[in-house]
Amino acid sequence: MSLTAVFATGAVAQVTAYKQAIAEGAAADAALSTFYRENGYQPIWTGGDDDDRARRAAFLQVVETVAAHGLPAERYSAAKIRALLGEAQSSRDRGRVEVEMSRMFLTYAKDIETGILVPKKVDPDIVREVPTRDPLTTLREFERSLPLAYLRGLKPKSREYTRLVREKMKLDAVLERGGWGPRIDAGRIEPGESGARVVALRDRLTAEGYLRRSATQVYDAEMKQAVAQFQADNGLATDGVAGETTIQALNVAPEVRIGQILVSLERERWMNIDRGKRHIWVNLTDFHAKIIDDDEITFETRSVIGKNTNGRRTPEFSDEMTHMVINPSWYVPRSIVVNEYLPVLRSNPYALGYMEITDSRGRVVNRGRGFSQYSARSFPFSMRQPPSERNALGLVKFMFPNKYNIYLHDTPAKNLFSRDSRAFSHGCIRLNDPFDFAYALLAPQSDNPEDEFHRHLRSGRESRVNLETPVPVHLVYRTAYTKPGGGMEYRRDVYGRDAEILSALRSAGVATPGFGS
């Protein structure tokens, strides 16, 4: 529809070249087209009044800081905006610049509020749903708001995001000073040693903020304590000995750490949501599950996550825990039945005697007929492991029903929790202290959560216990996260997801140190 037709109602008497340019420039974008049609094709950026000047100044001010947030600066660079404004000579030019500034504003707003990338397009196991704001709503809100306050309010509200930005700026300063100095050229350094290798260790610990400056050449108690703190911050065994793994972590360059923070900033933008005053936080790379109450960790336990193979990696998403099942049955997933158990049953139909095999009507199958005639495709039966201490789910599972069939649960395989790296499951999250986890969840609704839990447990029967208030569950993947008092913790990229995200951020125009722009 031509602009003349748009204004045929007589709302505007004359169609100017400026308005024509706005209409043409916005035509291909539904939000922009609707917004400018609603406001009568009036400027919000390129006019001469105080409101337009304030919006221009505010936008130029915030886009000067996008590098601190790990955003692709060229999408909305201040230099580009100034050049566009300076080169606009005619009314039509100013109309085109008006639309272009609105387009850059919407891009910036989306990028800083909910992320640059689409998670599932980077990795199919990042199934997190990112809540994006309608661009037309964004334009309408911005037009009637104080511009600088609105623009500053777009970034994620979490304390973690603010701390990550601050820590990134610190590491940027480290790079400007030339980094953390020479690498440590040693395989293992023991407490009590002295000499050049210990000096190299001392200097690196000092540069990374774990040790005060000194002239010591001896691996003394203070240095051992510093090494132990570094190990804790990197998810390593805290023995205070600078072994091969610890030295490898100490030698990681600041450029790599900045890359990890850039990814964490993007992940925070994906989670720019209300996480709940009480919520469950499972950081897959950290192999821990936590209950958070009012930003404080009130319960923590070790966890086992999905194995790093196709089909077993634990996905990332958020949901709500609604209930727990005490003395659960394990209904074996079809993939495990046909890929792992059927080959065993074909050789010996009486194997896996603790498993119940049933037909489509729930009747127990006579094993004497054997299973050699079935293939993975034709096997018609289901398998269930009844409640018991040997049950693969242990004695309790915690449910947040989801289409990925992921939940938290107990396990009889307690030995795996002593490992530093714990990626062994088929995808679900196993907990080291499931009973204590249950008590913590029941505490808000029970005067004696332990007695309530064990009353169900002693019955031996499968029991569902509802949570009166569902608890949000967040399965996240952070290889870099802050400590509330300052400093960072780092973990290994267990599934290689952060490497994929960093590569995608680089392709999107984010400046990544060590790789150019």
Side-chain angles (χ1 to χ4, degrees):
M1 180 184 293
S2 70
L3 187 60
T4 304
V6 170
F7 288 108
T9 59
V12 175
Q14 185 177 4
V15 177
T16 64
Y18 179 81
K19 293 178 179 179
Q20 181 77 40
I22 291 177
E24 292 171 354
D29 186 300
L32 287 172
S33 182
T34 300
F35 173 76
Y36 281 109
R37 185 171 64 249
E38 288 177 347
N39 85 345
Y41 297 90
Q42 297 300 312
I44 63 171
W45 307 102
T46 56
D49 63 20
D50 289 345
D51 288 342
D52 285 12
R53 282 193 289 269
R55 293 188 195 101
R56 288 197 300 270
F59 193 37
L60 285 165
Q61 184 174 333
V62 297
V63 297
E64 292 277 18
T65 68
V66 295
H69 296 266
L71 297 177
E74 284 305 308
R75 290 187 180 184
Y76 18 71
S77 79
K80 184 186 294 185
I81 293 170
R82 291 191 177 98
L84 286 170
L85 291 167
E87 294 166 2
Q89 301 298 315
S90 66
S91 294
R92 290 189 64 82
D93 290 343
R94 287 193 296 275
R96 284 192 288 266
V97 172
E98 171 72 26
V99 175
E100 183 59 24
M101 286 193 66
S102 286
R103 187 172 286 114
M104 284 193 284
F105 158 72
L106 286 176
T107 302
Y108 168 80
K110 182 264 177 191
D111 286 355
I112 197 165
E113 190 171 35
T114 53
I116 302 158
L117 308 172
V118 178
K120 282 184 249 188
K121 289 185 178 179
V122 181
D123 188 297
D125 287 324
I126 309 176
V127 292
R128 180 167 305 288
E129 296 294 333
V130 178
T132 56
R133 193 199 305 238
D134 171 50
L136 180 57
T137 300
T138 300
L139 283 164
R140 288 168 174 164
E141 290 177 348
F142 179 63
E143 184 185 27
R144 58 176 179 261
S145 300
L146 293 172
L148 190 56
Y150 186 87
L151 288 164
R152 286 176 171 170
L154 289 170
K155 66 181 178 64
K157 308 298 188 295
S158 69
R159 296 176 185 176
E160 176 69 0
Y161 188 85
T162 301
R163 292 194 295 256
L164 283 168
V165 170
R166 185 166 59 241
E167 294 296 335
K168 179 185 177 296
M169 293 172 70
K170 288 180 182 178
L171 283 180
D172 287 340
V174 169
L175 276 188
E176 289 180 7
R177 295 194 300 267
W180 285 320
R183 293 166 55 86
I184 303 168
D185 185 17
R188 182 180 178 87
I189 310 173
E190 299 268 4
E193 286 189 39
S194 60
R197 299 196 318 163
V198 173
V199 170
L201 175 62
R202 177 202 70 194
D203 290 347
R204 191 75 180 199
L205 287 166
T206 302
E208 296 192 29
Y210 287 91
L211 199 61
R212 61 182 177 82
R213 292 190 176 279
S214 73
T216 184
Q217 298 186 31
V218 179
Y219 196 154
D220 56 15
E222 186 178 2
M223 192 177 296
K224 181 178 180 181
Q225 183 178 358
V227 169
Q229 183 59 61
F230 175 84
Q231 290 169 329
D233 288 348
N234 285 266
L236 306 173
T238 55
D239 58 7
V241 176
E244 182 178 356
T245 303
T246 299
I247 290 175
Q248 285 175 352
L250 277 164
N251 281 336
V252 172
E255 292 93 333
V256 174
R257 296 309 191 194
I258 290 174
Q260 289 180 265
I261 291 176
L262 288 171
V263 172
S264 288
L265 284 166
E266 177 71 353
R267 288 183 175 280
E268 274 295 299
R269 291 187 285 263
W270 292 346
M271 285 196 67
N272 191 8
I273 58 175
D274 180 3
R275 298 173 191 182
K277 291 189 67 176
R278 159 168 271 215
H279 61 266
I280 296 162
W281 186 263
V282 183
N283 185 5
L284 303 181
T285 68
D286 183 40
F287 306 108
H288 278 77
K290 303 173 183 177
I291 297 177
I292 311 291
D293 288 287
D294 295 317
D295 291 328
E296 297 291 332
I297 300 170
T298 55
F299 180 82
E300 182 172 3
T301 183
R302 291 186 167 206
S303 65
V304 168
I305 67 170
K307 191 174 182 180
N308 186 24
T309 59
N310 287 335
R312 293 194 180 186
R313 299 181 186 95
T314 304
E316 301 170 51
F317 63 97
S318 295
D319 214 305
E320 280 195 333
M321 185 174 291
T322 56
H323 64 280
M324 66 184 73
V325 178
I326 302 172
N327 296 315
S329 295
W330 181 40
Y331 297 90
V332 187
R334 176 76 180 178
S335 60
I336 299 177
V337 169
V338 299
N339 294 326
E340 299 182 29
Y341 291 167
L342 178 57
V344 177
L345 292 170
R346 283 167 58 89
S347 299
N348 177 6
Y350 295 100
L352 307 169
Y354 54 90
M355 285 290 182
E356 190 178 80
I357 304 174
T358 57
D359 63 18
S360 60
R361 297 172 64 180
R363 297 173 300 192
V364 176
V365 171
N366 180 2
R367 290 177 177 242
R369 297 176 181 175
F371 303 100
S372 60
Q373 68 272 36
Y374 298 113
S375 67
R377 178 172 295 180
S378 65
F379 189 72
F381 307 122
S382 299
M383 296 183 71
R384 180 183 80 97
Q385 186 179 16
S388 75
E389 290 190 357
R390 293 183 58 194
N391 189 286
L393 304 183
L395 294 171
V396 60
K397 66 177 179 178
F398 304 91
M399 303 301 292
F400 41 107
N402 57 82
K403 62 184 176 182
Y404 315 108
N405 200 28
I406 298 295
Y407 42 88
L408 278 59
H409 65 88
D410 182 17
T411 176
K414 302 295 186 184
N415 60 307
L416 297 178
F417 292 105
S418 62
R419 311 275 188 94
D420 287 338
S421 182
R422 298 186 288 275
F424 299 106
S425 81
H426 284 84
C428 287
I429 311 294
R430 305 175 188 172
L431 302 180
N432 187 42
D433 303 295
F435 288 11
D436 293 325
F437 188 75
Y439 308 154
L441 289 173
L442 292 173
Q445 66 190 60
S446 174
D447 292 334
N448 195 328
E450 292 186 39
D451 279 359
E452 180 178 347
F453 179 85
H454 284 280
R455 176 166 47 82
H456 291 288
L457 187 66
R458 285 192 299 270
S459 75
R461 297 189 302 273
E462 187 167 328
S463 303
R464 170 174 171 147
V465 179
N466 292 328
L467 299 180
E468 292 178 1
T469 302
V471 181
V473 180
H474 306 292
L475 305 187
V476 303
Y477 187 103
R478 303 293 174 87
T479 67
Y481 51 96
T482 67
K483 298 192 290 184
M488 293 292 302
E489 294 206 31
Y490 296 103
R491 297 294 184 268
R492 290 191 310 109
D493 189 5
V494 184
Y495 295 153
R497 289 179 187 167
D498 273 20
E500 294 175 326
I501 294 171
L502 186 61
S503 177
L505 289 173
R506 190 178 304 131
S507 296
V510 175
T512 53
F515 296 91
S517 62

